[in-house]
């Protein structure tokens, strides 16, 4: 294995559209999945990804950096956080999330499940 690897979101390994309101660009690097997600205004996990995931709440862990926009995350137990630009957020499985405001939220997730937003028929 090479001592250095590089990939770009300009040529992702996979692009996974949400059911409306955005997409996830996926890069696999050194056995890790990195996701650049664009959540458009109006995006909500329970409306735009639940139909893909087939679970009541998001079961993917996340460890992400917010580039722009705002994202509200509410855990199944009621704990919540609102992420803003330059925030780094860790989220365990069992949550919903949605865009706050009228600006797209763009984030880079270093902890997402490799199957995040992957359609079962893909």
């Amino acid at each position: 294995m090479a001592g250095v690897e590089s990939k770009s979101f300009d040529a992702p390994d996979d692009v996974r559209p949400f059911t409306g309101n955005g997409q996830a660009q996926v890069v696999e690097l050194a056995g890790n999945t990195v996701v650049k997600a664009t959540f458009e205004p109006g995006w909500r996990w329970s409306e735009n990804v639940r139909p893909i995931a087939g679970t009541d709440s998001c079961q993917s862990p996340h460890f992400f950096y917010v580039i722009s926009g705002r994202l509200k995350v509410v855990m199944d137990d009621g704990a919540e956080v609102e992420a803003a630009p330059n925030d780094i957020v860790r989220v365990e499985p069992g949550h919903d999330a949605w865009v706050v405001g009228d600006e797209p939220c763009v984030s880079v997730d270093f902890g997402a499940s490799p199957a995040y937003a992957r359609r079962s028929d893909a």
Side-chain angles (χ1 to χ4, degrees):
M1 178 161 100
V4 64
E5 290 182 74
S6 177
K7 287 193 175 180
S8 173
F9 286 116
D10 291 335
D13 295 318
D14 194 8
V15 177
R16 301 173 186 167
F18 301 135
T19 304
N21 297 334
Q23 68 179 7
Q25 295 173 292
V26 181
V27 171
E28 300 286 340
L29 189 64
N32 296 290
T33 301
V34 182
V35 175
K36 181 180 180 186
T38 301
F39 307 106
E40 299 291 340
W43 179 89
R44 185 177 185 121
W45 185 92
S46 54
E47 295 171 10
N48 300 112
V49 183
R50 177 188 286 162
I52 298 167
T55 56
D56 288 337
S57 61
C58 182
Q59 297 302 306
S60 177
H62 302 281
F63 188 78
F64 65 93
Y65 170 73
V66 179
I67 297 170
S68 62
R70 301 180 79 79
L71 192 70
K72 176 97 175 214
V73 179
V74 177
M75 302 300 296
D76 290 348
D77 69 5
E80 59 184 64
V81 67
E82 187 171 313
N86 292 319
D87 287 351
I88 300 168
V89 182
R90 181 188 62 84
V91 182
E92 292 296 321
H95 58 273
D96 194 4
W98 56 89
V99 172
V100 175
D102 58 3
E103 179 184 357
C105 180
V106 178
S107 67
V108 177
D109 191 341
F110 295 91
S113 162
Y116 179 74
R118 180 184 294 147
R119 295 183 183 283
S120 60
D121 58 358

PDB file of all heavy atoms in Angstrom, residues 18-44:
ATOM      1  N   PHE A  18     -30.391  12.346  -1.845  1.00  0.00           N
ATOM      2  CA  PHE A  18     -31.431  12.146  -0.850  1.00  0.00           C
ATOM      3  C   PHE A  18     -32.767  12.144  -1.594  1.00  0.00           C
ATOM      4  O   PHE A  18     -32.834  12.503  -2.764  1.00  0.00           O
ATOM      5  CB  PHE A  18     -31.410  13.262   0.192  1.00  0.00           C
ATOM      6  CG  PHE A  18     -30.097  13.379   0.927  1.00  0.00           C
ATOM      7  CD1 PHE A  18     -29.521  14.615   1.128  1.00  0.00           C
ATOM      8  CD2 PHE A  18     -29.446  12.260   1.406  1.00  0.00           C
ATOM      9  CE1 PHE A  18     -28.321  14.740   1.808  1.00  0.00           C
ATOM     10  CE2 PHE A  18     -28.245  12.367   2.082  1.00  0.00           C
ATOM     11  CZ  PHE A  18     -27.675  13.608   2.280  1.00  0.00           C
ATOM     12  N   THR A  19     -33.834  11.760  -0.923  1.00  0.00           N
ATOM     13  CA  THR A  19     -35.154  11.834  -1.522  1.00  0.00           C
ATOM     14  C   THR A  19     -35.554  13.306  -1.491  1.00  0.00           C
ATOM     15  O   THR A  19     -36.270  13.759  -0.624  1.00  0.00           O
ATOM     16  CB  THR A  19     -36.159  10.960  -0.738  1.00  0.00           C
ATOM     17  OG1 THR A  19     -35.650   9.638  -0.686  1.00  0.00           O
ATOM     18  CG2 THR A  19     -37.515  10.944  -1.409  1.00  0.00           C
ATOM     19  N   GLY A  20     -34.980  14.078  -2.410  1.00  0.00           N
ATOM     20  CA  GLY A  20     -35.187  15.525  -2.449  1.00  0.00           C
ATOM     21  C   GLY A  20     -34.221  16.251  -1.539  1.00  0.00           C
ATOM     22  O   GLY A  20     -33.692  15.698  -0.584  1.00  0.00           O
ATOM     23  N   ASN A  21     -33.904  17.475  -1.868  1.00  0.00           N
ATOM     24  CA  ASN A  21     -33.179  18.390  -0.982  1.00  0.00           C
ATOM     25  C   ASN A  21     -31.731  18.053  -0.670  1.00  0.00           C
ATOM     26  O   ASN A  21     -31.271  18.319   0.433  1.00  0.00           O
ATOM     27  CB  ASN A  21     -33.940  18.605   0.317  1.00  0.00           C
ATOM     28  CG  ASN A  21     -35.275  19.247   0.107  1.00  0.00           C
ATOM     29  OD1 ASN A  21     -35.475  19.958  -0.869  1.00  0.00           O
ATOM     30  ND2 ASN A  21     -36.206  19.003   1.000  1.00  0.00           N
ATOM     31  N   GLY A  22     -30.986  17.516  -1.620  1.00  0.00           N
ATOM     32  CA  GLY A  22     -29.554  17.382  -1.392  1.00  0.00           C
ATOM     33  C   GLY A  22     -28.975  16.052  -1.807  1.00  0.00           C
ATOM     34  O   GLY A  22     -29.642  15.223  -2.429  1.00  0.00           O
ATOM     35  N   GLN A  23     -27.705  15.874  -1.428  1.00  0.00           N
ATOM     36  CA  GLN A  23     -26.998  14.658  -1.803  1.00  0.00           C
ATOM     37  C   GLN A  23     -25.802  14.437  -0.892  1.00  0.00           C
ATOM     38  O   GLN A  23     -25.347  15.342  -0.203  1.00  0.00           O
ATOM     39  CB  GLN A  23     -26.513  14.740  -3.240  1.00  0.00           C
ATOM     40  CG  GLN A  23     -25.429  15.775  -3.444  1.00  0.00           C
ATOM     41  CD  GLN A  23     -24.952  15.819  -4.882  1.00  0.00           C
ATOM     42  OE1 GLN A  23     -25.499  15.174  -5.754  1.00  0.00           O
ATOM     43  NE2 GLN A  23     -23.906  16.589  -5.134  1.00  0.00           N
ATOM     44  N   ALA A  24     -25.309  13.207  -0.945  1.00  0.00           N
ATOM     45  CA  ALA A  24     -24.082  12.841  -0.239  1.00  0.00           C
ATOM     46  C   ALA A  24     -23.062  12.400  -1.282  1.00  0.00           C
ATOM     47  O   ALA A  24     -23.337  11.515  -2.092  1.00  0.00           O
ATOM     48  CB  ALA A  24     -24.350  11.718   0.749  1.00  0.00           C
ATOM     49  N   GLN A  25     -21.887  13.048  -1.277  1.00  0.00           N
ATOM     50  CA  GLN A  25     -20.770  12.622  -2.117  1.00  0.00           C
ATOM     51  C   GLN A  25     -19.880  11.763  -1.231  1.00  0.00           C
ATOM     52  O   GLN A  25     -19.506  12.182  -0.130  1.00  0.00           O
ATOM     53  CB  GLN A  25     -19.996  13.820  -2.631  1.00  0.00           C
ATOM     54  CG  GLN A  25     -20.788  14.702  -3.563  1.00  0.00           C
ATOM     55  CD  GLN A  25     -20.005  15.954  -3.880  1.00  0.00           C
ATOM     56  OE1 GLN A  25     -19.800  16.794  -3.010  1.00  0.00           O
ATOM     57  NE2 GLN A  25     -19.576  16.083  -5.115  1.00  0.00           N
ATOM     58  N   VAL A  26     -19.534  10.574  -1.703  1.00  0.00           N
ATOM     59  CA  VAL A  26     -18.822   9.609  -0.881  1.00  0.00           C
ATOM     60  C   VAL A  26     -17.455   9.307  -1.473  1.00  0.00           C
ATOM     61  O   VAL A  26     -17.335   9.031  -2.665  1.00  0.00           O
ATOM     62  CB  VAL A  26     -19.632   8.298  -0.757  1.00  0.00           C
ATOM     63  CG1 VAL A  26     -18.914   7.292   0.126  1.00  0.00           C
ATOM     64  CG2 VAL A  26     -21.044   8.589  -0.241  1.00  0.00           C
ATOM     65  N   VAL A  27     -16.436   9.355  -0.618  1.00  0.00           N
ATOM     66  CA  VAL A  27     -15.080   8.986  -0.990  1.00  0.00           C
ATOM     67  C   VAL A  27     -14.613   7.905  -0.019  1.00  0.00           C
ATOM     68  O   VAL A  27     -14.778   8.045   1.195  1.00  0.00           O
ATOM     69  CB  VAL A  27     -14.132  10.210  -0.928  1.00  0.00           C
ATOM     70  CG1 VAL A  27     -12.688   9.784  -1.109  1.00  0.00           C
ATOM     71  CG2 VAL A  27     -14.508  11.235  -1.976  1.00  0.00           C
ATOM     72  N   GLU A  28     -14.080   6.836  -0.572  1.00  0.00           N
ATOM     73  CA  GLU A  28     -13.478   5.764   0.242  1.00  0.00           C
ATOM     74  C   GLU A  28     -11.975   5.931   0.159  1.00  0.00           C
ATOM     75  O   GLU A  28     -11.411   5.985  -0.934  1.00  0.00           O
ATOM     76  CB  GLU A  28     -13.889   4.390  -0.295  1.00  0.00           C
ATOM     77  CG  GLU A  28     -15.382   4.126  -0.299  1.00  0.00           C
ATOM     78  CD  GLU A  28     -15.962   3.871   1.074  1.00  0.00           C
ATOM     79  OE1 GLU A  28     -15.200   3.526   2.000  1.00  0.00           O
ATOM     80  OE2 GLU A  28     -17.190   4.028   1.223  1.00  0.00           O
ATOM     81  N   LEU A  29     -11.324   6.025   1.309  1.00  0.00           N
ATOM     82  CA  LEU A  29      -9.883   6.252   1.336  1.00  0.00           C
ATOM     83  C   LEU A  29      -9.276   5.502   2.509  1.00  0.00           C
ATOM     84  O   LEU A  29      -9.678   5.705   3.659  1.00  0.00           O
ATOM     85  CB  LEU A  29      -9.606   7.763   1.461  1.00  0.00           C
ATOM     86  CG  LEU A  29      -8.175   8.226   1.289  1.00  0.00           C
ATOM     87  CD1 LEU A  29      -7.662   7.949  -0.127  1.00  0.00           C
ATOM     88  CD2 LEU A  29      -8.077   9.714   1.574  1.00  0.00           C
ATOM     89  N   ALA A  30      -8.348   4.618   2.204  1.00  0.00           N
ATOM     90  CA  ALA A  30      -7.641   3.843   3.228  1.00  0.00           C
ATOM     91  C   ALA A  30      -8.609   3.130   4.170  1.00  0.00           C
ATOM     92  O   ALA A  30      -8.421   3.100   5.377  1.00  0.00           O
ATOM     93  CB  ALA A  30      -6.689   4.739   4.010  1.00  0.00           C
ATOM     94  N   GLY A  31      -9.671   2.565   3.615  1.00  0.00           N
ATOM     95  CA  GLY A  31     -10.638   1.830   4.420  1.00  0.00           C
ATOM     96  C   GLY A  31     -11.604   2.700   5.198  1.00  0.00           C
ATOM     97  O   GLY A  31     -12.352   2.198   6.031  1.00  0.00           O
ATOM     98  N   ASN A  32     -11.581   3.997   4.958  1.00  0.00           N
ATOM     99  CA  ASN A  32     -12.472   4.928   5.647  1.00  0.00           C
ATOM    100  C   ASN A  32     -13.454   5.536   4.659  1.00  0.00           C
ATOM    101  O   ASN A  32     -13.123   5.761   3.499  1.00  0.00           O
ATOM    102  CB  ASN A  32     -11.668   6.054   6.301  1.00  0.00           C
ATOM    103  CG  ASN A  32     -10.753   5.535   7.376  1.00  0.00           C
ATOM    104  OD1 ASN A  32     -11.205   5.111   8.426  1.00  0.00           O
ATOM    105  ND2 ASN A  32      -9.459   5.551   7.107  1.00  0.00           N
ATOM    106  N   THR A  33     -14.652   5.822   5.153  1.00  0.00           N
ATOM    107  CA  THR A  33     -15.670   6.484   4.357  1.00  0.00           C
ATOM    108  C   THR A  33     -15.745   7.941   4.791  1.00  0.00           C
ATOM    109  O   THR A  33     -15.901   8.237   5.978  1.00  0.00           O
ATOM    110  CB  THR A  33     -17.051   5.827   4.574  1.00  0.00           C
ATOM    111  OG1 THR A  33     -16.955   4.447   4.201  1.00  0.00           O
ATOM    112  CG2 THR A  33     -18.129   6.507   3.765  1.00  0.00           C
ATOM    113  N   VAL A  34     -15.624   8.843   3.827  1.00  0.00           N
ATOM    114  CA  VAL A  34     -15.756  10.277   4.100  1.00  0.00           C
ATOM    115  C   VAL A  34     -16.887  10.786   3.209  1.00  0.00           C
ATOM    116  O   VAL A  34     -16.918  10.497   2.015  1.00  0.00           O
ATOM    117  CB  VAL A  34     -14.443  11.036   3.804  1.00  0.00           C
ATOM    118  CG1 VAL A  34     -14.601  12.517   4.153  1.00  0.00           C
ATOM    119  CG2 VAL A  34     -13.278  10.426   4.585  1.00  0.00           C
ATOM    120  N   VAL A  35     -17.814  11.524   3.828  1.00  0.00           N
ATOM    121  CA  VAL A  35     -19.005  11.985   3.126  1.00  0.00           C
ATOM    122  C   VAL A  35     -19.071  13.503   3.154  1.00  0.00           C
ATOM    123  O   VAL A  35     -19.011  14.106   4.228  1.00  0.00           O
ATOM    124  CB  VAL A  35     -20.288  11.412   3.774  1.00  0.00           C
ATOM    125  CG1 VAL A  35     -21.536  11.990   3.116  1.00  0.00           C
ATOM    126  CG2 VAL A  35     -20.300   9.895   3.722  1.00  0.00           C
ATOM    127  N   LYS A  36     -19.181  14.108   1.987  1.00  0.00           N
ATOM    128  CA  LYS A  36     -19.480  15.533   1.902  1.00  0.00           C
ATOM    129  C   LYS A  36     -20.968  15.623   1.595  1.00  0.00           C
ATOM    130  O   LYS A  36     -21.418  15.201   0.527  1.00  0.00           O
ATOM    131  CB  LYS A  36     -18.672  16.227   0.821  1.00  0.00           C
ATOM    132  CG  LYS A  36     -18.974  17.718   0.743  1.00  0.00           C
ATOM    133  CD  LYS A  36     -18.148  18.388  -0.344  1.00  0.00           C
ATOM    134  CE  LYS A  36     -18.439  19.872  -0.422  1.00  0.00           C
ATOM    135  NZ  LYS A  36     -17.740  20.488  -1.578  1.00  0.00           N
ATOM    136  N   ALA A  37     -21.720  16.145   2.547  1.00  0.00           N
ATOM    137  CA  ALA A  37     -23.168  16.215   2.396  1.00  0.00           C
ATOM    138  C   ALA A  37     -23.613  17.645   2.153  1.00  0.00           C
ATOM    139  O   ALA A  37     -23.105  18.575   2.788  1.00  0.00           O
ATOM    140  CB  ALA A  37     -23.852  15.659   3.634  1.00  0.00           C
ATOM    141  N   THR A  38     -24.533  17.787   1.234  1.00  0.00           N
ATOM    142  CA  THR A  38     -25.180  19.069   0.995  1.00  0.00           C
ATOM    143  C   THR A  38     -26.649  18.881   1.318  1.00  0.00           C
ATOM    144  O   THR A  38     -27.349  18.111   0.653  1.00  0.00           O
ATOM    145  CB  THR A  38     -25.007  19.523  -0.465  1.00  0.00           C
ATOM    146  OG1 THR A  38     -23.615  19.631  -0.752  1.00  0.00           O
ATOM    147  CG2 THR A  38     -25.675  20.876  -0.695  1.00  0.00           C
ATOM    148  N   PHE A  39     -27.073  19.547   2.385  1.00  0.00           N
ATOM    149  CA  PHE A  39     -28.450  19.493   2.833  1.00  0.00           C
ATOM    150  C   PHE A  39     -29.111  20.812   2.438  1.00  0.00           C
ATOM    151  O   PHE A  39     -28.758  21.862   2.961  1.00  0.00           O
ATOM    152  CB  PHE A  39     -28.521  19.315   4.351  1.00  0.00           C
ATOM    153  CG  PHE A  39     -27.723  18.151   4.877  1.00  0.00           C
ATOM    154  CD1 PHE A  39     -26.525  18.363   5.546  1.00  0.00           C
ATOM    155  CD2 PHE A  39     -28.170  16.853   4.708  1.00  0.00           C
ATOM    156  CE1 PHE A  39     -25.788  17.302   6.044  1.00  0.00           C
ATOM    157  CE2 PHE A  39     -27.433  15.784   5.210  1.00  0.00           C
ATOM    158  CZ  PHE A  39     -26.240  16.001   5.872  1.00  0.00           C
ATOM    159  N   GLU A  40     -30.038  20.759   1.503  1.00  0.00           N
ATOM    160  CA  GLU A  40     -30.708  21.966   1.029  1.00  0.00           C
ATOM    161  C   GLU A  40     -31.760  22.417   2.047  1.00  0.00           C
ATOM    162  O   GLU A  40     -32.244  21.614   2.848  1.00  0.00           O
ATOM    163  CB  GLU A  40     -31.371  21.692  -0.328  1.00  0.00           C
ATOM    164  CG  GLU A  40     -30.415  21.297  -1.422  1.00  0.00           C
ATOM    165  CD  GLU A  40     -29.492  22.424  -1.862  1.00  0.00           C
ATOM    166  OE1 GLU A  40     -29.816  23.598  -1.613  1.00  0.00           O
ATOM    167  OE2 GLU A  40     -28.449  22.116  -2.463  1.00  0.00           O
ATOM    168  N   PRO A  41     -32.137  23.705   2.024  1.00  0.00           N
ATOM    169  CA  PRO A  41     -33.210  24.169   2.904  1.00  0.00           C
ATOM    170  C   PRO A  41     -34.445  23.280   2.749  1.00  0.00           C
ATOM    171  O   PRO A  41     -34.799  22.879   1.641  1.00  0.00           O
ATOM    172  CB  PRO A  41     -33.483  25.596   2.418  1.00  0.00           C
ATOM    173  CG  PRO A  41     -32.176  26.034   1.842  1.00  0.00           C
ATOM    174  CD  PRO A  41     -31.603  24.795   1.192  1.00  0.00           C
ATOM    175  N   GLY A  42     -35.039  22.925   3.868  1.00  0.00           N
ATOM    176  CA  GLY A  42     -36.183  22.024   3.865  1.00  0.00           C
ATOM    177  C   GLY A  42     -35.796  20.568   4.083  1.00  0.00           C
ATOM    178  O   GLY A  42     -36.652  19.723   4.332  1.00  0.00           O
ATOM    179  N   TRP A  43     -34.480  20.247   3.999  1.00  0.00           N
ATOM    180  CA  TRP A  43     -34.034  18.860   4.211  1.00  0.00           C
ATOM    181  C   TRP A  43     -34.265  18.461   5.659  1.00  0.00           C
ATOM    182  O   TRP A  43     -34.010  19.228   6.592  1.00  0.00           O
ATOM    183  CB  TRP A  43     -32.547  18.703   3.884  1.00  0.00           C
ATOM    184  CG  TRP A  43     -32.047  17.309   4.105  1.00  0.00           C
ATOM    185  CD1 TRP A  43     -32.039  16.300   3.196  1.00  0.00           C
ATOM    186  CD2 TRP A  43     -31.490  16.767   5.308  1.00  0.00           C
ATOM    187  NE1 TRP A  43     -31.505  15.157   3.762  1.00  0.00           N
ATOM    188  CE2 TRP A  43     -31.163  15.418   5.065  1.00  0.00           C
ATOM    189  CE3 TRP A  43     -31.244  17.288   6.585  1.00  0.00           C
ATOM    190  CZ2 TRP A  43     -30.597  14.593   6.025  1.00  0.00           C
ATOM    191  CZ3 TRP A  43     -30.683  16.470   7.551  1.00  0.00           C
ATOM    192  CH2 TRP A  43     -30.364  15.132   7.270  1.00  0.00           C
ATOM    193  N   ARG A  44     -34.747  17.256   5.834  1.00  0.00           N
ATOM    194  CA  ARG A  44     -34.911  16.658   7.162  1.00  0.00           C
ATOM    195  C   ARG A  44     -34.667  15.160   7.012  1.00  0.00           C
ATOM    196  O   ARG A  44     -35.225  14.528   6.112  1.00  0.00           O
ATOM    197  CB  ARG A  44     -36.310  16.938   7.702  1.00  0.00           C
ATOM    198  CG  ARG A  44     -36.502  16.466   9.116  1.00  0.00           C
ATOM    199  CD  ARG A  44     -37.879  16.836   9.653  1.00  0.00           C
ATOM    200  NE  ARG A  44     -37.963  16.470  11.046  1.00  0.00           N
ATOM    201  CZ  ARG A  44     -38.208  17.318  12.029  1.00  0.00           C
ATOM    202  NH1 ARG A  44     -38.415  18.594  11.772  1.00  0.00           N
ATOM    203  NH2 ARG A  44     -38.262  16.898  13.274  1.00  0.00           N
TER     204      ARG A  44
END
